[in-house]
Amino acid sequence: MKRRPKTSNRQNVLRNCMPMRLMQCEGIPAPPLKEMLKMSIRTYSELSQLKTFKERYQYLKLDGIVGKETFGFQRWLNQNFYHSKEWLSFRDKIIIRDNGCDLGVEGFEIYGSVLIHHLNPITYDDIVKRNPCIFDPENVICTKHQTHNAIHYGDENLLIIAPIQRQPNDTCPWRKIERS
C-alpha cells in the first residue's frame, strides 16, 4: 500500500489561501475545470528563481478589473490591519529581505512608498480569522505603487522596465545630433 507524502505546514497554509477556495467562500461560482488547472499557488521561493523584473511581473500578473470591489464596506478592517503593529513589524522584515527593491530585483530600488504585495490575494475572512498566510514571508514581495497596480490590472504599460538612455540634444528636436 502506497503512502501519500506528508504535506508541509506551509503547503497547507498556502492551500487555504488558494483563490479557488476563496471564491467558493465568497459565494462566487467556481471557474471551469480548465481554468482551475491553470490556477496555482504563487510562492516567494518560485518567484526568486526568476531573474528578470519582467519575468517576475509575468509570474505575478493577475489581470484584475479596474474598479472591482475587493473589501467593499469592510475596507476599514483592511486599513486597520495594514496599520497594526504586527503588520508593520512584518512589513519591515520583508523590506529588509528584498533590499527595498521592486519585486526584489536588484537595480530596481524603491525610492518612494514601499507596498507589500500578497502573491496570493487575501480576503476579509483571512484577516478576521487571522489566516497564517497573511503573515507568511512566502506569500509577499515588495513593490512600488505603479508595479502593484500593473500586477492587479495586468497593464504592463504601467511598468518602468529600464531607464531611458539619454543622448546629447535628444530633448531639443530642432538641434541635430552630431555624429562622429
Side-chain angles (χ1 to χ4, degrees), residues 20 37 58 70 75 89 105 157 164 174:
M20 178 61 206
L37 294 174
Q58 291 296 327
T70 50
R75 193 129 196 90
S89 172
V105 179
N157 295 324
I164 298 170
W174 56 87

Side-chain angles (χ1 to χ4, degrees), residues 129-177:
K129 295 176 182 173
R130 291 305 232 209
N131 189 324
C133 74
I134 61 178
F135 292 109
D136 185 356
E138 277 289 311
N139 190 33
V140 293
I141 189 76
C142 289
T143 67
K144 62 183 180 183
H145 186 71
Q146 281 180 300
T147 304
H148 191 254
N149 285 346
I151 290 168
H152 278 278
Y153 306 124
D155 186 357
E156 202 167 325
N157 295 324
L158 294 173
L159 299 175
I160 299 173
I161 302 293
I164 298 170
Q165 294 295 325
R166 307 306 321 198
Q167 295 181 6
N169 299 321
D170 67 352
T171 59
C172 298
W174 56 87
R175 290 189 177 170
K176 292 183 180 179
I177 299 173

Side-chain angles (χ1 to χ4, degrees), residues 8-18 131-133 136:
S8 71
N9 189 36
R10 181 181 309 279
Q11 288 171 323
N12 288 331
V13 167
L14 288 173
R15 189 173 292 118
N16 289 334
C17 281
M18 277 184 69
N131 189 324
C133 74
D136 185 356

Side-chain angles (χ1 to χ4, degrees), residues 34-171:
K34 197 174 192 179
E35 285 184 38
M36 279 177 31
L37 294 174
K38 290 181 185 177
M39 287 184 165
S40 65
I41 298 172
R42 295 172 179 90
T43 65
Y44 179 79
S45 297
E46 286 180 356
L47 179 71
S48 63
Q49 299 291 318
L50 305 171
K51 300 299 178 203
T52 69
F53 183 86
K54 194 165 186 171
E55 288 173 328
R56 290 184 182 202
Y57 164 73
Q58 291 296 327
Y59 177 79
L60 295 172
K61 181 168 78 156
L62 296 173
D63 294 326
I65 299 166
V66 176
K68 184 178 179 199
E69 230 177 60
T70 50
F71 278 80
F73 290 112
Q74 287 90 21
R75 193 129 196 90
W76 63 271
L77 179 67
N78 170 302
Q79 296 308 310
N80 283 347
F81 168 70
Y82 286 122
H83 289 93
S84 70
K85 286 182 183 179
E86 190 178 13
W87 173 259
L88 294 173
S89 172
F90 175 74
R91 178 184 185 277
D92 289 344
K93 291 174 186 169
I94 299 306
I95 293 170
I96 291 167
R97 177 196 70 186
D98 295 341
N99 294 318
C101 294
D102 202 3
L103 300 184
V105 179
E106 292 297 322
F108 286 83
E109 288 78 15
I110 301 171
Y111 295 104
S113 298
V114 177
L115 299 177
I116 304 299
H117 171 70
H118 282 92
L119 306 182
N120 302 291
I122 62 170
T123 65
Y124 172 81
D125 286 337
D126 290 328
I127 294 174
V128 168
K129 295 176 182 173
R130 291 305 232 209
N131 189 324
C133 74
I134 61 178
F135 292 109
D136 185 356
E138 277 289 311
N139 190 33
V140 293
I141 189 76
C142 289
T143 67
K144 62 183 180 183
H145 186 71
Q146 281 180 300
T147 304
H148 191 254
N149 285 346
I151 290 168
H152 278 278
Y153 306 124
D155 186 357
E156 202 167 325
N157 295 324
L158 294 173
L159 299 175
I160 299 173
I161 302 293
I164 298 170
Q165 294 295 325
R166 307 306 321 198
Q167 295 181 6
N169 299 321
D170 67 352
T171 59

